Amino acid sequence: MLEIRNLTKRFGNVDAVRDVSISAPGGAFLVLLGPSGCGKTTLLRMLAGLELPSEGQIVFDGQTVSDGDRNWAVDPAKRNSGLVFQSYALWPHMSVRGNVDWPLKVMKMPKAARAERVDEVLKLLDIGQLAERYPNEISGGQQQRVAIARTIAPKPSVLLFDEPLSNLDAKLRVEMRTELMRLHRATGATTVYVTHDQIEAMTMATHVAVMNHGRVQQFGSPSDLVNHPKTAFVATFVGTPPNNMVPVVKNGSGYKVGGRHMPLTPPADDCMAMYRAEAMSLSESEGETTLAMELVETSAIAGRTMVTGLRDGLRLTAIVDAAPEAGIGDTIQFCLPPRPDSWFGPDGERIG
């Protein structure tokens, strides 16, 4: 239903989005995931029609809506899509009902049909009791629901969300994630959702595009990204906690792993070994596969303990059954498994 072909967006000499090609079926929940400045919001704005691509095409349900090669695009209002902004962008002088009714009025929908549709979406978002209030009289979470109701009222086939939960507190974010997934099932609309929060991506998405420096590092299902990361960036950006990436450098006839000689034979010189946090362990004494680290953090996670150590810029995290007796700032021994879970080359690409 949604197809992006070789999409590029330049601002001067800077490529904010570079040669992106992804596609998703109708009814998919596609998440654009990545750090700040990776190009995900620029990509979303091109989908919405707020930015014209420098190169490439965007296709909705078989119809080309943007063509950067021909410098042409369908007007945003004619794309049958709806955009929910991070800032909500509600009309302050209109009631909740008025905000939701406005796009239907622009569509010239008959008054009776508008009233019926407004009541329907207010009920769907569980904000019918707020219909006559104004934006400054309701909470941030309620304002977000109004913004979503206004967007889905015209029944768009594509829903676009630009980090819609970033202004909410942690508890409300969890609740709204559930509501958005319920809404997605109820509307059946193809959804594109921008976030830097990988927990949001992993819990909500059917498809995820991990972006960095304007490019898609990997596109696939949440389980694909977690179980089979294609690049070192994806391996360390996706997952809770993130995977450990340890440099392995050739030194004489052997190799230094995290700065220590270890009996490890990598598939290439000067590469990186990936260890999952749940595969790591702690040791009370130094061994041939241990690394001495400064204890910087411990926290409970799902009945176990997450332990993080730091040394010379290398950060390691282990999931263990019991917290170490050492205190913050003390030295503890992280024990590496005999074999890494994955290998990555100097260019960050997965080996094998």
Side-chain angles (χ1 to χ4, degrees):
M1 192 282 178
L2 170 64
E3 188 174 2
I4 299 170
R5 303 171 183 163
N6 307 112
L7 205 65
T8 294
K9 178 61 180 179
R10 297 188 186 91
F11 294 101
N13 295 324
V14 177
D15 286 353
V17 174
R18 290 188 286 174
D19 196 26
V20 169
S21 295
I22 54 178
S23 61
F29 198 118
L30 168 62
V31 172
L32 305 179
L33 174 67
S36 298
C38 71
K40 56 189 185 295
T41 294
T42 300
L43 178 52
L44 189 81
R45 288 176 61 84
M46 286 190 283
L47 293 175
L50 304 181
E51 298 283 356
L52 180 66
S54 303
E55 297 174 11
Q57 296 81 35
I58 299 171
V59 179
F60 287 173
D61 200 20
Q63 177 188 2
T64 300
V65 295
S66 288
D67 191 328
D69 298 331
R70 294 190 296 159
N71 198 37
W72 170 87
V74 172
D75 187 270
K78 298 178 180 179
R79 296 188 176 208
N80 195 23
S81 64
L83 173 61
V84 178
F85 294 95
Q86 181 178 352
S87 61
Y88 315 147
L90 300 177
W91 295 105
H93 65 289
M94 290 184 182
S95 66
V96 167
R97 179 178 293 278
N99 268 277
V100 179
D101 181 63
W102 176 253
L104 303 179
K105 186 181 294 186
V106 172
M107 292 171 59
K108 302 186 184 303
M109 182 182 288
K111 186 175 182 179
R114 293 202 322 260
E116 182 179 352
R117 178 58 179 164
V118 170
D119 287 340
E120 182 181 356
V121 296
L122 293 180
K123 181 179 179 181
L124 181 63
L125 273 297
D126 195 25
I127 50 175
Q129 72 279 11
L130 305 177
E132 306 310 320
R133 295 191 190 180
Y134 288 83
N136 67 339
E137 298 174 332
I138 59 179
S139 69
Q142 291 168 334
Q143 289 182 43
Q144 184 60 280
R145 289 171 184 262
V146 176
I148 294 170
R150 180 183 59 186
T151 302
I152 69 171
K155 297 184 179 180
S157 59
V158 179
L159 283 174
L160 308 172
F161 292 91
D162 186 11
E163 301 200 52
L165 308 185
S166 60
N167 294 330
L168 306 181
D169 62 59
K171 182 175 182 295
L172 197 52
R173 285 171 73 111
V174 173
E175 294 175 356
M176 282 301 298
R177 285 206 304 263
T178 302
E179 287 299 310
L180 285 174
M181 288 188 285
R182 182 182 62 83
L183 180 67
H184 176 249
R185 292 193 301 270
T187 62
T190 303
T191 300
V192 183
Y193 186 101
V194 163
T195 184
H196 62 271
D197 187 330
Q198 56 97 13
I199 295 178
E200 285 184 11
M202 296 300 105
T203 55
M204 300 172 69
T206 60
H207 301 70
V208 182
V210 181
M211 298 187 65
N212 194 33
H213 300 306
R215 293 186 180 275
V216 172
Q217 295 268 320
Q218 187 170 348
F219 176 64
S221 68
S223 61
D224 286 338
L225 301 179
V226 172
N227 297 322
H228 308 288
K230 291 184 178 180
T231 68
F233 176 80
V234 174
T236 54
F237 193 79
V238 174
T240 305
N243 295 305
N244 299 293
M245 203 65 63
V246 182
V248 179
V249 180
K250 186 170 180 58
N251 186 260
S253 60
Y255 292 88
K256 278 190 173 182
V257 182
R260 260 200 80 187
H261 280 283
M262 290 188 188
L264 192 66
T265 304
D269 293 344
D270 300 341
C271 57
M272 292 177 284
M274 187 197 89
Y275 299 93
R276 299 190 185 279
E278 58 270 25
M280 302 280 287
S281 61
L282 302 179
S283 176
E284 294 182 357
S285 59
E286 183 178 331
E288 66 176 6
T289 61
T290 63
L291 290 174
M293 313 284 290
E294 177 190 352
L295 178 61
V296 294
E297 184 179 275
T298 62
S299 61
I301 178 170
R304 304 185 75 194
T305 300
M306 183 172 68
V307 181
T308 302
L310 188 66
R311 189 190 73 180
D312 298 332
L314 176 63
R315 189 180 186 92
L316 295 181
T317 301
I319 300 294
V320 296
D321 291 330
E325 295 182 0
I328 300 299
D330 290 345
T331 298
I332 60 174
Q333 298 286 340
F334 279 76
C335 187
L336 303 182
R339 294 181 180 177
D341 291 286
S342 297
W343 289 101
F344 293 88
D347 58 357
E349 295 293 321
R350 184 172 181 149
I351 301 174

